Amino acid sequence: MFRWEKLGRIFDPREHKGGSWMREFAQSPSALIYETHVRVYFCSRPAPASDGQYLSYLSYIDLNRKNLLEILNVCTEPILGLGAYGTFDEFGTNPISVIRDQGEVRAYYAGWTRCESVPFNAALGLAISRDDGASFARLGEGPVLSYSPDEPFLLGSPRIRKYGGNWHLWYVSGKQWLRTDGGKPEPVYRIRMASSEDGINWVKFGRDLLESRLGEHECQACPDVIFHGNKYHMFFCYRHSHHYKGKEGGYRIGYASSVDMLNWSRCDEIAGMSVSETGWDSEMVSYPHVFMLDGETYMLYQGNEMGRCGFGLAKLDSSQNWSEN
Amino acid sequence: MKWLKLGKIFDPTAHTLAHNCHEFAQSPQTLVKSDRVRVYFSTREKDSVGKYLSHVAFVDFDTSMRNIIAVSNHTVIELGQLGCFDEHGIFPINVLRDGDRVLAYTAGWNRKVSVSVDASIGLAISHDDGFTFQKHGNGPIMAASLKEPFLIGDAFVAFYGRLYHMWYIYGTKWKKFAQSDPPDRVYKIAHATSEDGINWHRDGRQIIADRLNADECQALPTVIELGGVYHMYFCYRQAHGFRTRRDDAYRIGYAYSDDLISWKRDDSNAGIDVSEDGWDSQMQCYPHVFKSGQNTYLLYNGNEFGRFGFGLAVLEK
């Protein structure tokens, strides 16, 4: 079992008097390491519109590399505007995953659009920064990864990695929209993968990577992969498709491992990261992001209400033996 | 090129179609059989909120194209499930015989909020010679991409030189032309190739030059080889006002190519134009060129985007 020491919540957007686009929510933290600081990209939201619908913007904070609990800086505007009329990311950019590559920083993100019969749809976009991660520009107005015969809608939760010279993208694809009694339809989505030589033209693997634990309507998200000890380790989150907004059916963090990135053994029991008895992460934990820094391994994750009140940090026990997992 | 108009040959309001469809027979496209020519088209029902759903139907003509043998009254292809790209309509459908199968390239429509709709191209396959089609998955084979952000549709597929070639359209922008009007769309014709008819290579490049202006809308390419030259017919219009103003409405355009790659636009040689009066006097759109017997035919829609059917012309020899 992974032994995580929770270091507490490190950012609550509601306590930060920044721009109106960052009123609440700090979702999907993704770290980029600099010489003196760690930049954590995330997705924040302004107040909802009169119809209750939200937009979501890409943002970041900088943490002191010597003390990750200290916030050095908060971005003063979104790092990317929303998409133009009718584009896939007109109504939101969320979640995000960033990576450095040859002097550039690439942000892979899910774009939100709004539909009539179902509340929303999503596809994956790519934006590139040439100023070391301060601002980003889209590579094109359309998505870099979109729908296909067996991935019909809701491509989301991108996590970008580069291993052995190739690009790998773990993400989720919608499988089904479930009709609900009188309410909005609810989606079912599962973790998938694609590979690429350039990070732009992708070959989809075309198969759900993880078996379901909560039945055929389980939703899986945020497949965060880290390579260590000759194995690929995936932390992700999963929930029920209904009644998931409280403690009962809310997101939990799961774990799987693989030697080839394609075949995964799921073993949630050893993820070692669960809800707390009380406090900001007592109802749900989700959107894990694991990274290594200066000899330590950390996990960023979001807590209650899908990250409405921010994200926190945990540190792996330094005596952790990864190979026993 | 010179086309002899044979007049309107099908009026949907004179027939009983499935799904309570009474009006519209849009984008006629053919499957030529030994004893008949099957013409697929998209017709419309009004749903519970008063919006249209486009359904695929067909009419069979005898080989003279003068007599109707049969009209479909069954579901030729199902609309998509909740949240799928083709949930709110299939329009148009392009069919291609492929061994003992018939492939159908569909444009599926789904309704949106800030703009009215989006579209992607799907594949469906028939194993009963075009009577019904089953979908190749719930999602599209060709959706939006980096350089083609939305409105992917109007596929026309042909097999040349051991490759499947697809001509199709992609949206370039949604633009508000008047404060009181909803945004209008702009789309252009592009080309893709495939070894298997499923996975396509494309570069998101407009292949037909604009004639009206940068906001010209180009739609429904159809390509035929005659005498070693490839001929493309398509329709084009202004991006705004095209529903009501005759001069801004769809017309049939023409281009030709020796290599399937570079096209020379020459609308003056299209050989067909709107009539002085009658069913195709306001607009002409959604052309489809095909060979049957010794003749080369052009099917197309007239006024009101084909609300009252489609007509036929034959190439003069």
Side-chain angles (χ1 to χ4, degrees), chain A residues 53-268:
Chain A
Q53 299 223 64
Y54 283 101
L55 303 173
S56 184
Y57 290 91
L58 302 179
S59 314
Y60 68 77
I61 58 173
D62 291 332
L63 307 177
N64 185 346
R65 181 165 174 162
K66 300 285 181 221
N67 172 17
L68 294 180
L69 303 181
E70 181 191 351
I71 296 172
L72 302 176
N73 181 36
V74 181
C75 68
T76 54
E77 56 185 19
I79 59 169
L80 184 73
L82 298 183
Y85 244 155
T87 54
F88 76 105
D89 55 354
E90 181 181 356
F91 291 105
T93 46
N94 179 330
I96 179 176
S97 177
V98 295
I99 191 169
R100 260 206 191 86
D101 183 63
Q102 298 180 3
E104 298 177 343
V105 179
R106 291 188 179 193
Y108 291 78
Y109 64 95
W112 294 356
T113 184
R114 293 180 187 167
C115 307
E116 183 184 280
S117 64
V118 293
F120 54 87
N121 201 356
L124 301 183
L126 171 57
I128 292 179
S129 171
R130 298 198 167 87
D131 56 8
D132 206 24
S135 66
F136 288 78
R138 284 174 181 73
L139 201 58
E141 277 205 301
V144 73
L145 195 75
S146 191
Y147 321 120
S148 53
D150 72 332
E151 297 181 0
F153 40 69
L154 286 178
L155 299 197
S157 272
R159 289 282 150 177
I160 186 72
R161 300 289 183 268
K162 212 173 170 183
Y163 293 124
N166 269 332
W167 297 81
H168 301 279
L169 188 62
W170 283 271
Y171 61 99
V172 304
S173 166
K175 296 189 82 68
Q176 192 184 356
W177 280 97
L178 302 172
R179 294 180 195 277
T180 58
D181 296 333
K184 290 178 181 171
E186 290 287 354
V188 175
Y189 41 87
R190 294 287 169 77
I191 290 170
R192 296 216 157 193
M193 193 189 90
S195 299
S196 171
E197 289 176 3
D198 58 8
I200 296 169
N201 299 288
W202 293 92
V203 177
K204 291 178 173 180
F205 181 51
R207 179 156 80 67
D208 294 340
L209 295 189
L210 302 185
E211 61 186 57
S212 164
R213 183 174 162 179
L214 302 178
E216 63 168 329
H217 294 158
E218 176 179 88
C219 294
Q220 306 166 347
C222 194
D224 193 74
V225 173
I226 188 164
F227 182 73
H228 186 71
N230 293 317
K231 243 163 115 175
Y232 298 92
H233 306 263
M234 181 194 290
F235 290 87
F236 59 96
C237 53
Y238 63 101
R239 62 164 172 81
H240 291 273
S241 53
H242 294 301
H243 309 298
Y244 55 87
K245 291 184 175 168
K247 183 171 186 178
E248 193 67 24
Y251 269 124
R252 294 294 181 272
I253 289 176
Y255 169 81
S257 63
S258 170
V259 292
D260 61 5
M261 294 189 268
L262 300 176
N263 298 289
W264 294 85
S265 306
R266 181 169 179 174
C267 188
D268 296 348

Side-chain angles (χ1 to χ4, degrees), chain B residues 42-76:
Chain B
S42 289
T43 180
R44 298 187 189 183
E45 83 168 302
K46 266 197 178 156
D47 72 4
S48 57
V49 296
K51 291 186 178 180
Y52 284 120
L53 296 168
S54 280
H55 294 276
V56 172
F58 64 73
V59 50
D60 288 345
F61 288 89
D62 68 13
T63 54
S64 75
M65 295 301 293
R66 287 196 182 92
N67 304 300
I68 291 174
I69 300 172
V71 176
S72 66
N73 58 10
H74 64 287
T75 299
V76 176

